[in-house]
Amino acid sequence: MKGGNPQIDALWKSRPRSRALRFSAWFALALVGCVWMFSNIQVAELWNAHRLENLHRFLSTRALPEPLRSHSGESLWLWCNQQMQAYGWRGLEATLEISVFAIVLAGFFGSLLGSFGARNLMSAHPFVPHATAGHGDCSHALDRVAQAMRILCILLRAIPEYIWAYLLLAMLGPNAWPAVLALAIHNSGILGRLAGETIENLPAEPLRAMTMAGATRKEVAVAGIFPMALGRYLLYFFYRFETCVREATVLGMLGIVSLGYFIFEARAHDQYDVLLFLVLLGGLLVMLADLVSDLARRWLRRGV
Amino acid sequence: MRWHPTRRARILLGFVLAAGVAYWGLGLNLSGLLPKTGGLHLAGDFFSAAWHPAFGYESTGFVPAEAPSFLLKVLHGLWQTLEFAIAAISLAFAFGLVLGILAADCFWAERGSGWQVFRWLLRIVLAAMRSVHELLWALILLAAMGVNPATAVLAILIPYTGTLAKVFSEMLDEGDTRPADALKYLGATPLRVFLFARLPRSFPDITAYAFYRFECAVRSSAVLGFFGFPTVGLYLKQSFENLHYREVWSYLYGLILVVILLEFWSSLIRRRFVA
């Protein structure tokens, strides 16, 4: 890139550079290279003749719906209807209910975690301009609360839903609570962090004006932060709802009667046609949730 | 006096109602929250084990003499978890970037409607890829192709490519349009506008999001262990079934540590990009 133009050369030389970024890029490349060269993961394995034969056999026999496979003359439509009556509707309903209940719980607890973890709200003198701020005596305690909340959020979300559900199932027994709580716990951690970030990124001027007009911390939180942050928070809420539906399907594999339960049953009975049908059904539900959450977010972008 | 709820109040009320309907539909009751018989004991044992995670095997009776030390096993499990995640996310990033560009509106700006049809078809395919959970992909691929480490990578790769491509395309479309307009009015071709104004502008967002998805991939990879792949989930499940709760917590703390380190790395990068 050495052109004859000294001005462009000067610009090129003075471009912003960061050692951390450069190091990160090389480190990431080294990790990827290391994994592909030295681990036992060989993607080419998937395309060897043996695997392709397996795939072909699977698609042409086990994955085909029963009426197509046995040429019994039974209509495909009837077969689909039977699956819907036996598993489909129940699974869909439970999956949707688990995810809705879980996301509302997560939204509530996430907003609490976020509010108590936001550094600007939890400072000794929130939103007071520096010149007039007194010397805080309780600042350390509040800072520590905020820090504890942020660490709690990391702990809650670092453990996958599936593992939470597995642990809770052993304690609470097979009902819908383990699935609901697992989703709610993990998503509270995620929403708590996002809510905290949202509150910290709010424009400070209106909140400062409220404070200077005599509003207490609680009043600023309820009358200032809540209406200002709600729109953005709901964007995240709906984004997580979509993931909740995906996860609720799968949590059924642990014995909670959502779609995943029937999927696992079909696998245990070696009925891969039913399994594929139910997976597709779950996929449709997720696509629907995706659409709903997209529409809701578009609606929210115009303001709450 | 009649109550006129604001739009905000109505939204929140709607959520509470929806939760109530779901609660009723699931047939839940609050007594279900109490641990079942023996469950309370188990819960107590499990959570008290959190304070002293294991640094060695809890019972040495069944451990073969030549087995590696427990801490090495934890590290090995975590590294294997990372291996699957790195392999999957590296491919998903490459495919997601290409497909995301192809699915972005601004890439096809000022082109014929034939390309728009292609774009919509691509978006539907991407939606289908990400609407099936990675565990379900794993289930299907296991049945179709047999057990192989690459099967797990493929199971993570397919839905993650779909998600990354969708989000990348949105980031490309929603970025600041002013630099693109400036280049356009200077006479740059649409491709050059895209390459020199759109793409570089959204690159920080794209990197940050890819990092977040990497964190998710680590979790997915850990969970795939429950299906027999040699990640930390497999060891965790075995320890839990053997009632070795202190070992379970060692694995959980290991996983949490990995996530915190990733978080630290990604915040480092994000700060540099924003500054």
Side-chain angles (χ1 to χ4, degrees):
Chain A
M1 282 295 284
K2 288 284 174 281
N5 192 330
Q7 266 176 313
I8 291 182
D9 283 349
L11 271 176
W12 174 253
K13 274 190 194 124
S14 65
R15 70 195 189 277
R17 296 156 92 164
S18 153
R19 199 180 287 170
L21 276 187
R22 199 170 277 205
F23 170 76
S24 297
W26 284 113
F27 186 61
L29 273 180
L31 274 179
V32 170
C34 187
V35 164
W36 282 117
M37 279 190 287
F38 303 118
S39 76
N40 53 358
I41 300 168
Q42 303 286 329
V43 169
E45 270 286 295
L46 290 176
W47 278 268
N48 71 26
H50 178 60
R51 305 252 167 227
L52 288 181
E53 199 191 299
N54 275 354
L55 181 65
H56 183 253
R57 199 170 48 226
F58 177 75
L59 289 178
S60 57
T61 56
R62 289 203 287 169
L64 272 188
E66 174 68 34
L68 291 183
R69 204 183 337 156
S70 59
H71 305 287
S72 63
E74 193 191 358
S75 87
L76 188 62
W77 175 247
L78 203 67
W79 181 82
C80 289
N81 228 336
Q82 275 170 3
Q83 305 310 322
M84 286 306 285
Q85 295 300 335
Y87 319 111
W89 292 119
R90 265 175 72 200
L92 281 178
E93 189 199 330
T95 306
L96 199 61
E97 283 166 351
I98 288 172
S99 48
V100 168
F101 191 31
I103 195 63
V104 173
L105 282 181
F108 177 71
F109 288 110
S111 66
L112 284 184
L113 282 170
S115 308
F116 286 103
R119 269 163 287 201
N120 54 355
L121 181 62
M122 294 296 280
S123 68
H125 298 277
F127 312 114
V128 176
H130 285 293
T132 52
H135 294 288
D137 41 346
C138 58
S139 75
H140 288 305
L142 285 175
D143 279 348
R144 244 174 255 157
V145 169
Q147 207 158 19
M149 287 295 157
R150 286 202 302 278
I151 291 173
L152 184 61
C153 283
I154 293 181
L155 292 184
L156 294 181
R157 73 171 191 279
I159 299 175
E161 302 90 331
Y162 196 85
I163 294 179
W164 276 121
Y166 185 79
L167 302 176
L168 286 166
L169 191 69
M171 287 164 206
L172 301 179
N175 56 49
W177 277 116
V180 170
L181 289 181
L183 284 174
I185 290 172
H186 181 76
N187 284 294
S188 297
I190 292 176
L191 285 175
R193 182 204 157 179
L194 292 172
E197 257 173 34
T198 309
I199 293 176
E200 283 174 17
N201 291 340
L202 285 179
E205 291 81 7
L207 303 172
R208 196 171 291 157
M210 285 182 78
T211 314
M212 298 318 279
T216 62
R217 191 194 307 269
K218 231 180 288 170
E219 284 163 348
V220 173
V222 172
I225 288 178
F226 168 68
M228 278 165 75
L230 185 67
R232 187 122 259 263
Y233 185 60
L234 287 181
L235 287 182
Y236 295 131
F237 177 89
F238 279 108
Y239 148 68
R240 285 315 296 180
F241 170 63
E242 175 201 325
T243 12
C244 257
V245 177
R246 264 165 60 92
E247 298 289 339
T249 314
V250 166
L251 288 182
M253 291 189 186
L254 293 167
I256 302 144
V257 188
S258 77
L259 268 176
Y261 176 76
F262 298 119
I263 290 173
F264 222 57
E265 286 279 281
R267 185 188 185 223
H269 295 134
D270 205 29
Q271 296 174 316
Y272 277 90
D273 49 348
V274 179
L275 184 144
L276 276 181
F277 177 79
L278 292 174
V279 167
L280 285 178
L281 199 63
L284 278 180
L285 183 69
V286 174
M287 279 167 102
L288 207 66
D290 197 348
L291 195 69
V292 168
S293 108
D294 248 15
L295 288 177
R297 278 183 291 175
R298 202 160 296 171
W299 179 67
L300 283 166
R301 283 218 178 88
R302 290 180 310 186
V304 177
Chain B
M1 213 174 102
R2 277 181 61 202
W3 181 51
H4 293 287
T6 58
R7 193 165 166 221
R8 268 198 302 277
R10 263 178 281 163
I11 292 172
L12 295 186
L13 208 63
F15 288 154
V16 173
L17 277 180
V21 169
Y23 180 83
W24 175 77
L26 286 170
L28 290 171
N29 49 46
L30 289 176
S31 65
L33 277 176
L34 295 173
K36 59 175 183 169
T37 26
L40 197 66
H41 194 63
L42 189 147
D45 281 356
F46 180 72
F47 284 108
S48 62
W51 299 110
H52 34 88
F55 291 105
Y57 289 105
E58 269 189 59
S59 65
T60 45
F62 301 101
V63 181
E66 67 273 18
S69 78
F70 177 69
L71 284 184
L72 265 179
K73 193 180 164 191
V74 175
L75 283 181
H76 185 67
L78 288 174
W79 171 244
Q80 296 244 296
T81 310
L82 278 173
E83 268 184 357
F84 282 114
I86 291 170
I89 204 74
S90 59
L91 287 182
F93 182 72
F95 291 143
L97 195 59
V98 172
L99 293 176
I101 289 172
L102 291 179
D105 195 24
C106 58
F107 183 70
W108 299 112
E110 298 165 41
R111 306 231 178 184
S113 55
W115 290 111
Q116 292 295 326
V117 174
F118 167 77
R119 191 172 79 86
W120 278 106
L121 284 178
L122 182 61
R123 292 191 84 110
I124 292 171
V125 171
L126 291 175
M129 281 163 77
R130 65 173 186 272
S131 68
V132 174
H133 195 278
E134 54 269 16
L135 286 183
L136 298 179
W137 278 118
L139 217 59
I140 295 172
L141 289 170
L142 274 176
M145 308 183 94
V147 186
N148 185 286
T151 314
V153 173
L154 198 58
I156 301 179
L157 172 62
I158 296 170
Y160 276 62
T161 302
T163 314
L164 285 175
K166 179 207 175 192
V167 174
F168 288 171
S169 76
E170 279 172 2
M171 283 172 171
L172 287 167
D173 279 339
E174 284 171 10
D176 189 356
T177 56
R178 286 170 301 179
D181 288 341
L183 274 191
K184 196 172 105 186
Y185 296 134
L186 280 171
T189 60
L191 183 65
R192 287 194 180 156
V193 171
F194 183 81
L195 283 181
F196 295 106
R198 288 287 187 167
L199 200 54
R201 271 267 151 174
S202 33
F203 207 70
D205 281 342
I206 285 178
T207 322
Y209 189 74
F211 245 97
Y212 166 69
R213 287 309 291 183
F214 179 48
E215 192 190 313
C216 297
V218 171
R219 282 195 289 258
S220 296
S221 154
V223 168
L224 277 175
F226 280 73
F227 289 78
F229 292 104
T231 69
V232 81
L234 176 68
Y235 303 145
L236 199 149
K237 188 182 176 194
Q238 287 167 349
S239 289
F240 194 78
E241 279 166 357
N242 292 329
L243 308 181
H244 294 162
Y245 299 136
R246 292 174 52 210
E247 286 183 14
V248 172
W249 279 102
S250 308
Y251 292 121
L252 287 180
Y253 285 137
L255 197 60
I256 291 171
L257 197 68
V258 169
V259 171
I260 290 176
L261 283 178
L262 280 178
E263 173 103 6
F264 179 70
W265 189 14
S266 88
S267 78
L268 191 82
I269 289 180
R270 230 173 311 157
R271 251 201 326 269
R272 293 306 143 103
F273 264 136
V274 172

